[in-house]
Each structure stands twice: as structure tokens, then as C-alpha cells.
């Protein structure tokens, strides 16, 4: 048995900054509401036509992670790509990364677990490395939300929250099993699938020929829907549970946490968890203020920034936790 260690991290966000004031020019919202309810001050949006897609952003983040891991792209044995905003309906972006990085015909797997996608991704990668099947795995979380949001007042409760960006990690074989990813814990509760969902286009809805013919601009099933308060209430419970589950599985308690990197869903959710676990500001990394909620990309972007700023050091206990659409949630306990 081996462990897997994160040996390289990278992120990419589009240059275009969209402030709360910018949004208030196109919909009935305001800086004070967005800041108070979410903590978000600005987010990044891909400019239409500038060439960035979920895949290209993922590739840019991956290149940084590969270089920092000190490996060659041809040392990568497997690709895992988490997103809810793929370039195509199919194939998923994993194979596009294999093509765009110009690497040999390794396997590529797409993960569809929304905000928990990156944790599901590293959990899958971790099992392949633990079993000895692969040595180096590229895990990407990337989202291009802005092209799919309703930027009118109708969509304001969702569209002010989400931003574009990508993060990537290289997981590599670690012989010392006291180091690296100690455990991952994954959950789902499909009973609440429609509480945070994008229903169409979906083959479950109707025949695809109807979808094409229909082309109804008032059909809201093509827009993301979120029952915000219900999601919020479930999030704070599940975040707490799954962090505790991870700590207990490793005979650790909350005092062992050096750095918690929560999925950046809402600053108020992170602050609730911080308060509940009595963690200091230095023990929780948040960057939702700058990027909004980037779903599968939020943890790898935040983890990369925390590491770049020297906030994560060798030997630290790092906890990742996420909750989101599905509902799905998960945690990872890492000895850096
Ligand atoms: O990452 C995936 C997981 N996602 C989450 O965990 C998100 C969890 N939920 C949330 O973060 C919060 O529920 C939101 C930020 C989405 C909303 O905050 P809230 O405090 O729950 O607000 P609300 O939905 O209860 O809306 C309060 C009021 C409403 O007006 P009335 O009915 O009180 O007159 C909304 O219409 O705020 C109004 N509102 C807005 N006002 C200005 C909703 N969106 C906006 C907006 N600007 N953008």
C-alpha cells in the first residue's frame, strides 16, 4: 500500500474582474446585499470570444501544477476532471486535456459532483495510487459558469454568487503512509437533487427534438436553480459532520487542524464552521471575496493560494471539505 501526496498545485482565473457594482448595472442587486449575504466582492468572468473554456482554463492550471510537481507531462498516468460546466455535452473535458497537453493515450475520467467534485476527484485518484496502479495523477477542477447564468434580476439570487476559474493538483505516490492523503469521506443525498440543479438540457426532461424545436426563452429549466436557504441549512450541518467524520477516522480532534480549506460557497458558511470548531482566522483559508463560488475549482484554487502564501507547510494537517448540488459532500484529511 502507498499513500498519495499532493506534489504540485496550480490555478488559473480569467483576467476580467466583475465587481458587485458591475452586476448592479445589469440587474436589481447591490454591493451591500452581496457582501453581507455572501462575502463576495468580485468574481472573474471569461469574456466571450477570448478563447477560454472550462478545458483551456483547466489546462493552464494543470501546466503550473505539473511544473511545480517537477514531473514531465508524460509522467502523468491518469487524468481526473471535475466540472459541472463542460465544454461539450459529451465527451467530457478529461479527454480534451489529454489532447491539449499532448500526452500519451492515458485514461481520462470525468467527475460530475459539482461543488464536491474536486474532493471526489482526489478520492478516486488516491485509490488508484494506494493500490499501486498509478504513480502520478492529474486532478483538475474547472468551471465556466458565467456563460450559463441569467444575468437579469430573475437570476440574481444565483448569478451574483458564481465565478469562473480552474485549479489543478498532481497526486503522486508516497511510500511513507504516515504522510499525504490520510483519508477521504464521500456522501450523497439525491433526495434533494432538484434543490440545486440545472435541469436542461437533459434526456430525462423530454425528447431532444422537442428541446430543439421548443427554444422557449422563458423556459427556466435551462438556468441554474438554487433553493438558497435550504442549501445553506444543509451545508452547515454536512460540512461539520464530514469534517468530524474525517478527523475521527484518523483518531484526531479539531485541535489537530492546521489549515481548513472549505469549498468557497458562502463566507457565512465558512465563518459558521470556523466558529463551531473554534478555529482562528489563520486556520481557515477563504478567497470567495475575490472569486465568488467557482464550484469544483474553488478548493484547488484556494489550496494553491494558501500554499503559495506559505500558509501550508510540511507536516501540517490540512482538511478539505465541500458540500453542494446532489446533494453531495465530502472531506479529505491530509498530512502535508
Ligand atoms: O456551492 C454550492 C452550495 N451553495 C451554497 O451553499 C449556497 C447556500 N445559500 C446561500 O449562500 C444563501 O442562501 C444565498 C446567498 C444564496 C441567499 O442568501 P439568503 O440570506 O438566504 O437570502 P434569501 O434567498 O432569503 O433572499 C433574501 C432577500 C429576498 O427578498 P425578499 O423576499 O426578502 O424581499 C430575495 O429576493 O434578498 C433578495 N435577493 C437579492 N437582493 C439583492 C436575492 N438575491 C438578491 C440579490 N441582490 N442578488
Amino acid at each position: 500500500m502507498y499513500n498519495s501526496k499532493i506534489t504540485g498545485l496550480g490555478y488559473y482565473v480569467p483576467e476580467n474582474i466583475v465587481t458587485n457594482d458591475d452586476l448592479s448595472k445589469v440587474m436589481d442587486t447591490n454591493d451591500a446585499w452581496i457582501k453581507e449575504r455572501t462575502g463576495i466582492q468580485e468574481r472573474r468572468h471569461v469574456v466571450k470570444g477570448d478563447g477560454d473554456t472550462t478545458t483551456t482554463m483547466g489546462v493552464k492550471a494543470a501546466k503550473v501544477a505539473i511544473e511545480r510537481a517537477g514531473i514531465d507531462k508524460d509522467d502523468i498516468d491518469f487524468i481526473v476532471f471535475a466540472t459541472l460546466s463542460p465544454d461539450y455535452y459529451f465527451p467530457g473535458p478529461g479527454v480534451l486535456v489529454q489532447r491539449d497537453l499532448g500526452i500519451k493515450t492515458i485514461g481520462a475520467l470525468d467527475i460530475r459532483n459539482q461543488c464536491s467534485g474536486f474532493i471526489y476527484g482526489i478520492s478516486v485518484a488516491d485509490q488508484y495510487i494506494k493500490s499501486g496502479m498509478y504513480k502520478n495523477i492529474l486532478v483538475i477542477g474547472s468551471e465556466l459558469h458565467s456563460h450559463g447564468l441569467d444575468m437579469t434580476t430573475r437570476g440574481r439570487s444565483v448569478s451574483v454568487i458564481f465565478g469562473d476559474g480552474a485549479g489543478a493538483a498532481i497526486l503522486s505516490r508516497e511510500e511513507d503512509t504516515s504522510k499525504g492523503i490520510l483519508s477521504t469521506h464521500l456522501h450523497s443525498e439525491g433526495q434533494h437533487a432538484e434543490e440545486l440543479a440545472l435541469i436542461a438540457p437533459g434526456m430525462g426532461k423530454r425528447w431532444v427534438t422537442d428541446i430543439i424545436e421548443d427554444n422557449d426563452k422563458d423556459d427556466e429549466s435551462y438556468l441554474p436553480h438554487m433553493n438558497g436557504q435550504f442549501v445553506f441549512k444543509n451545508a452547515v450541518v454536512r460540512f461539520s459532520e464530514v469534517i468530524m467524520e474525517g478527523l475521527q477516522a484518523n483518531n484526531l480532534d479539531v485541535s489537530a487542524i492546521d489549515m481548513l480549506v472549505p469549498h468557497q460557497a458562502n463566507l457565512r458558511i465558512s465563518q459558521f464552521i470556523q466558529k463551531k470548531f473554534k478555529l482562528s482566522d489563520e486556520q481557515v483559508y477563504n478567497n470567495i471575496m475575490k472569486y465568488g463560488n467557482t464550484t469544483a475549482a474553488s478548493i484547488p484554487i484556494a489550496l494553491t493560494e494558501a500554499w503559495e502564501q506559505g500558509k501550508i507547510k510540511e507536516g501540517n494537517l490540512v482538511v478539505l471539505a465541500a458540500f453542494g448540488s446532489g446533494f453531495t459532500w465530502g472531506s479529505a484529511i491530509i498530512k502535508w
Side-chain angles (χ1 to χ4, degrees):
M1 274 290 256
Y2 304 101
N3 265 11
S4 36
K5 196 174 172 193
I6 295 179
T7 51
L9 284 165
Y11 77 93
Y12 171 82
V13 288
E15 276 175 22
N16 177 38
I17 295 173
V18 177
T19 65
N20 295 342
D21 287 338
D22 291 334
L23 293 178
S24 69
K25 288 177 194 141
V26 295
M27 65 181 81
D28 180 13
T29 190
N30 57 78
D31 180 55
W33 189 97
I34 301 172
K35 268 206 268 220
E36 189 197 317
R37 306 280 176 143
T38 70
I40 300 166
Q41 296 169 18
E42 57 189 42
R43 73 286 294 140
R44 305 296 177 103
H45 282 179
V46 167
V47 175
K48 277 183 188 153
D50 79 355
D52 262 335
T53 68
T54 296
T55 301
T56 65
M57 291 192 292
V59 167
K60 286 174 187 169
K63 284 182 178 167
V64 178
I66 294 166
E67 198 191 328
R68 286 175 172 169
I71 60 169
D72 186 81
K73 61 185 170 59
D74 288 318
D75 296 326
I76 298 169
D77 302 311
F78 195 64
I79 297 164
V80 181
F81 201 120
T83 188
L84 63 70
S85 49
D87 296 15
Y88 305 143
Y89 195 86
F90 72 82
V95 298
L96 305 180
V97 169
Q98 180 272 331
R99 178 187 67 188
D100 291 358
L101 281 177
I103 45 186
K104 52 191 190 303
T105 57
I106 57 170
L109 177 73
D110 296 291
I111 299 264
R112 300 200 44 174
N113 289 88
Q114 298 68 249
C115 306
S116 313
F118 186 75
I119 292 190
Y120 269 73
I122 61 170
S123 181
V124 168
D126 183 41
Q127 309 316 309
Y128 279 128
I129 289 176
K130 274 198 166 73
S131 71
M133 184 162 169
Y134 295 132
K135 254 186 166 169
N136 296 301
I137 300 183
L138 168 62
V139 183
I140 299 173
S142 179
E143 304 287 2
L144 201 169
H145 284 304
S146 58
H147 293 184
L149 297 172
D150 177 4
M151 300 302 269
T152 69
T153 299
R154 178 179 66 173
R156 66 180 181 175
S157 62
V158 171
S159 49
V160 302
I161 295 170
F162 293 95
D164 302 338
I170 298 291
L171 269 61
S172 302
R173 179 184 289 178
E174 167 63 59
E175 313 253 338
D176 178 352
T177 53
S178 68
K179 282 191 194 155
I181 296 178
L182 302 182
S183 65
T184 55
H185 306 268
L186 308 176
H187 295 276
S188 70
E189 193 175 26
Q191 185 189 341
H192 304 307
E194 286 81 17
E195 302 291 346
L196 175 45
L198 181 60
I199 303 297
M203 300 305 162
K205 196 174 172 247
R206 40 203 168 153
W207 295 93
V208 73
T209 43
D210 296 343
I211 297 174
I212 294 161
E213 273 172 21
D214 162 357
N215 200 19
D216 175 4
K217 69 174 173 38
D218 297 323
D219 183 351
E220 295 187 24
S221 61
Y222 290 88
L223 300 171
H225 159 78
M226 176 163 71
N227 180 350
Q229 290 196 358
F230 186 74
V231 175
F232 193 104
K233 283 179 196 149
N234 278 267
V236 291
V237 173
R238 297 307 193 185
F239 262 107
S240 308
E241 274 177 14
V242 81
I243 292 168
M244 284 314 297
E245 181 185 1
L247 291 171
Q248 280 163 5
N250 294 283
N251 295 317
L252 297 167
D253 70 49
V254 176
S255 62
I257 299 177
D258 292 303
M259 179 58 78
L260 170 65
V261 181
H263 162 54
Q264 301 291 291
N266 184 321
L267 192 60
R268 288 190 294 146
I269 295 177
S270 296
Q271 287 166 343
F272 180 95
I273 307 302
Q274 176 177 347
K275 204 168 160 201
K276 178 162 182 179
F277 289 154
K278 298 190 174 64
L279 299 172
S280 68
D281 288 350
E282 288 67 44
Q283 288 170 292
V284 184
Y285 192 82
N286 289 306
N287 62 7
I288 190 169
M289 305 73 91
K290 295 190 291 180
Y291 304 129
N293 179 345
T294 57
T295 311
S298 94
I299 289 182
I301 295 174
L303 192 60
T304 306
E305 282 196 346
W307 175 80
E308 284 175 349
Q309 293 166 19
K311 294 182 171 171
I312 296 176
K313 298 180 194 72
E314 186 90 16
N316 278 176
L317 191 84
V318 179
V319 176
L320 313 180
F323 174 88
S325 159
F327 293 153
T328 59
W329 62 101
S331 64
I333 311 292
I334 306 172
K335 188 82 173 168
W336 209 262

